[in-house]
Amino acid sequence: GVSTAKMMTTFNEAISRSLNLVRLGLVAAPILVQCFYIHSVDFISWLLRLALIYALMGAVCFIAVPDQLYNGLGLCAFRPIFERFYPEIAKANGSIADTSELNPASVGGSRINDLHNKRVKFRWSGSNRFLCLNADGWAVTGKDYLAATILLQQVYSKDKKVPDTYTLRIMDPSLEFHRCWLSFKPVNHLRYGGWLGAYSDDRKACPYKVVQDSSCTPDSFKLLCAWTAVLPPAQKSCSGFYIAEQICGSQLYLGHGTDRDA
């Protein structure tokens, strides 16, 4: 429920802040100890002793507890050094080799991290219903001969490829919405919105992450909304929700829902 979610959020924040305090303590402790002797030796000797203490601490931790040293202090900048001596550290969080590259999932014979410029038709898992567009440009499910052809285009952030994340562009000359982008209708304060639709403005193109987890059957996947842009205060994005069937009145559309509904 809401109270449980709020409690878990508070717990995570408390743990995160505690970890940062521990990191600060580890860094500051040798300096504090050396401060007791700063007046008994000249500054250069004091600085050399301090450097020696840090070097000894680092060497011992590097040999005895490398994982804790790397993850505990967040030493991502020194990852190549750690991987040279401890190759298994490549499986740790924040690896140079992304998790999706180490254990690449696949769909339709293609890896989900290599779907750029693929033209596809989305079929609802376990059925013969496909993603189609109605006359108003809203996404619905329908027969295979009405299915829209979608072009997947890789998403980049700060010139770096975002793993398994693509924008969805309609590339079907037979449709009125040819070359439009799929995105969500922002949700207003009445929780009205969230439907998937076609937009001609490329600034509204929504990135979607291809997710393949234990609940997916072979060659199936989920599409997770990965919108990051800021919307007006009265609107909310669908970021963090999956493309799912969504009812509006008596009409069934494709919108966004929880993992259970995807």
Side-chain angles (χ1 to χ4, degrees), residues 149-226:
T149 300
I150 306 298
L151 176 68
L152 303 180
Q153 294 188 306
Q154 180 67 57
V155 173
Y156 290 84
S157 177
K158 298 179 180 179
D159 297 326
K160 185 177 180 181
K161 185 168 73 171
V162 181
D164 311 337
T165 305
Y166 307 90
T167 53
L168 312 178
R169 193 174 193 184
I170 303 163
M171 298 297 286
D172 195 332
S174 64
L175 296 178
E176 178 185 351
F177 304 98
H178 175 54
R179 304 185 70 84
C180 289
W181 307 84
L182 288 181
S183 189
F184 60 89
K185 178 179 176 61
V187 181
N188 63 22
H189 62 285
L190 297 176
R191 295 188 177 183
Y192 187 80
W195 310 294
L196 190 67
Y199 295 86
S200 58
D201 188 352
D202 60 353
R203 292 174 297 180
K204 293 185 178 181
C206 180
Y208 285 90
K209 182 175 180 65
V210 179
V211 177
Q212 197 172 62
D213 57 24
S214 58
S215 66
C216 296
T217 57
D219 275 344
S220 68
F221 57 90
K222 303 172 184 177
L223 290 174
L224 177 67
C225 179

Side-chain angles (χ1 to χ4, degrees), residues 67 70 79 124 130 146 160 217 256:
D67 289 341
Y70 177 80
R79 186 170 198 92
W124 208 253
F130 288 76
L146 296 173
K160 185 177 180 181
T217 57
H256 294 78

Side-chain angles (χ1 to χ4, degrees), residues 9-236:
T9 300
T10 304
F11 178 75
N12 287 335
E13 290 181 357
I15 292 296
S16 177
R17 293 184 182 183
S18 299
L19 182 57
N20 287 331
L21 288 174
V22 171
R23 291 173 177 172
L24 181 61
L26 289 174
V27 173
I31 299 177
L32 293 176
V33 171
Q34 280 295 304
C35 283
F36 290 108
Y37 304 97
I38 190 171
H39 299 294
S40 60
V41 295
D42 60 276
F43 177 73
I44 299 299
S45 299
W46 177 84
L47 199 60
L48 290 175
R49 290 182 182 183
L50 184 63
L52 179 62
I53 290 175
Y54 275 121
L56 290 174
M57 286 179 57
V60 170
C61 292
F62 186 81
I63 295 171
V65 285
D67 289 341
Q68 288 79 357
L69 177 66
Y70 177 80
N71 293 312
L73 294 180
L75 302 179
C76 297
F78 300 97
R79 186 170 198 92
I81 298 175
F82 279 86
E83 287 185 342
R84 176 171 295 183
F85 293 93
Y86 303 101
E88 67 277 6
I89 205 132
K91 299 178 182 179
N93 186 32
S95 173
I96 291 175
D98 190 84
T99 303
S100 62
E101 297 173 356
L102 293 170
N103 301 293
S106 62
V107 57
S110 300
R111 295 181 176 182
I112 63 173
N113 61 356
D114 190 27
L115 297 176
H116 179 57
N117 279 339
K118 297 282 186 181
R119 298 188 181 220
V120 300
K121 292 184 177 182
F122 292 131
R123 180 173 64 84
W124 208 253
S125 180
S127 74
N128 60 353
R129 294 175 294 131
F130 288 76
L131 187 152
C132 308
L133 294 171
N134 66 13
D136 297 319
W138 298 114
V140 295
T141 55
K143 299 295 184 180
D144 56 349
Y145 63 88
L146 296 173
T149 300
I150 306 298
L151 176 68
L152 303 180
Q153 294 188 306
Q154 180 67 57
V155 173
Y156 290 84
S157 177
K158 298 179 180 179
D159 297 326
K160 185 177 180 181
K161 185 168 73 171
V162 181
D164 311 337
T165 305
Y166 307 90
T167 53
L168 312 178
R169 193 174 193 184
I170 303 163
M171 298 297 286
D172 195 332
S174 64
L175 296 178
E176 178 185 351
F177 304 98
H178 175 54
R179 304 185 70 84
C180 289
W181 307 84
L182 288 181
S183 189
F184 60 89
K185 178 179 176 61
V187 181
N188 63 22
H189 62 285
L190 297 176
R191 295 188 177 183
Y192 187 80
W195 310 294
L196 190 67
Y199 295 86
S200 58
D201 188 352
D202 60 353
R203 292 174 297 180
K204 293 185 178 181
C206 180
Y208 285 90
K209 182 175 180 65
V210 179
V211 177
Q212 197 172 62
D213 57 24
S214 58
S215 66
C216 296
T217 57
D219 275 344
S220 68
F221 57 90
K222 303 172 184 177
L223 290 174
L224 177 67
C225 179
W227 181 270
T228 57
V230 178
L231 295 177
Q235 299 178 346
K236 290 184 178 180

